[in-house]
Amino acid sequence: MTRDVLLGGVRIAYRDSGASCALPEEGDVPVVLVHGMGGDGYTWDRFARKLVRAGRRVIIPDLRGHGRSAHTESYLFEEFGADVLRLVDHLGVTSADLVGHSLGGYAVSCIAQERSELVRRLVMEECPLPLRSGDEQQTLTRRFPSVPELWHATSSVVRHPRAVLAFDRTMTRTALEQFRKPNPEWWDRLADITAPTLVLRGGPGGMVDPVKLAVLRESIQDCTVADFTCGHSIHRDRYREFKHTVLPFLNQPVLDGRADLPA
């Protein structure tokens, strides 16, 4: 059932599976699934069902300007993360695993920077990394969408017409403007992320720059990168591989703030 709540003056729609049946050692740590730009929370349904069957509580918001959430006058990237953080606080959650795709990946990264004690585990799927300096602007502005990216956008209309129709297209220009501006503060704050972090990178058609990804990996104290052969939407186009990579990561216990990784 979809609910909505007024948070910071913005009506945010969300679904919450309710109290989990997690094992005692896991505790009641929900998984928050955050979709990308142009989509809505229903993109996570298949993975959410798997998590719920495994006993996890799942919280799925629609970002502002998407799905059943309100359209607004402002669509700054940081505001998407702030909305999700307000929702988590509203629900009384004190520890959570955060999983975000694309814009959602950026949103959950902002939460992990702002409230590191809240985030037990962090997954960033195909998050386009912001510019680090003005020297990169010229490269980005000359880049046009690839054929796989265009196919993804086109097929989304067929697969998820509800999300496409609900999407506030006025945010597109704002998003492009933000992608073209350096964001050194975001890069400086990566060191504030203390949660074990898993970054998922697609192959041809993906949007994660490998040079900036290497910097991100060195900046976060506990960061693992997993490469896939598909494009931007790994959880949609390579669901089985996505599941087999993300589920074990979410299920690993965290000891002394770090993952208890196998030898």
Side-chain angles (χ1 to χ4, degrees), residues 52-251:
V52 171
R53 285 196 296 267
R56 300 296 298 271
R57 177 185 179 187
V58 179
I59 300 168
I60 310 175
D62 285 346
L63 296 173
R64 60 169 64 192
H66 298 77
R68 291 181 169 85
S69 290
H71 292 193
T72 68
E73 295 182 356
S74 179
Y75 291 109
L76 298 178
F77 287 165
E78 291 76 13
E79 292 172 329
F80 294 105
D83 290 339
V84 176
L85 181 55
R86 290 189 189 102
L87 175 63
V88 169
D89 286 341
H90 169 77
L91 295 174
V93 173
T94 58
S95 179
D97 292 343
L98 305 184
V99 181
H101 172 236
S102 193
L103 173 61
Y106 186 89
V108 296
S109 76
C110 291
I111 296 173
Q113 292 174 354
E114 184 71 22
R115 292 269 294 279
S116 60
E117 75 283 358
L118 171 70
V119 184
R120 192 189 75 134
R121 289 189 167 277
L122 178 67
V123 179
M124 300 165 60
E125 176 196 350
E126 267 292 303
C127 173
L129 304 176
L131 298 176
R132 298 174 59 213
S133 70
D135 294 338
E136 298 169 273
Q137 292 187 52
Q138 190 68 19
T139 300
L140 182 69
T141 55
R142 289 184 177 179
R143 182 185 184 278
F144 293 95
S146 67
V147 172
E149 289 166 11
L150 291 174
W151 169 249
H152 170 75
T154 303
S155 61
S156 292
V157 177
V158 178
R159 297 187 185 205
H160 306 288
R162 177 188 57 247
V164 174
L165 293 173
F167 174 58
D168 186 353
R169 291 165 180 77
T170 65
M171 78 175 68
T172 305
R173 185 178 69 176
T174 303
L176 289 174
E177 290 173 350
Q178 291 177 86
F179 277 127
R180 289 169 177 159
K181 290 180 180 178
N183 191 348
E185 182 181 0
W186 184 86
W187 287 96
D188 291 341
R189 297 199 65 184
L190 287 176
D192 295 335
I193 297 177
T194 58
T197 300
L198 174 64
V199 178
L200 310 180
R201 174 175 177 254
M207 296 185 182
V208 182
D209 179 270
V211 175
K212 291 201 283 287
L213 177 59
V215 177
L216 177 142
R217 188 173 189 174
E218 291 299 318
S219 300
I220 299 176
Q221 61 179 278
D222 186 353
C223 184
T224 302
V225 175
D227 292 307
F228 295 79
T229 58
C230 61
H232 186 55
S233 188
I234 300 169
H235 73 277
R236 185 193 74 174
D237 299 334
R238 292 291 187 274
Y239 173 73
R240 189 177 299 275
E241 295 98 308
F242 173 88
K243 177 184 67 176
H244 288 318
T245 301
V246 176
L247 276 180
F249 177 77
L250 295 179
N251 290 335

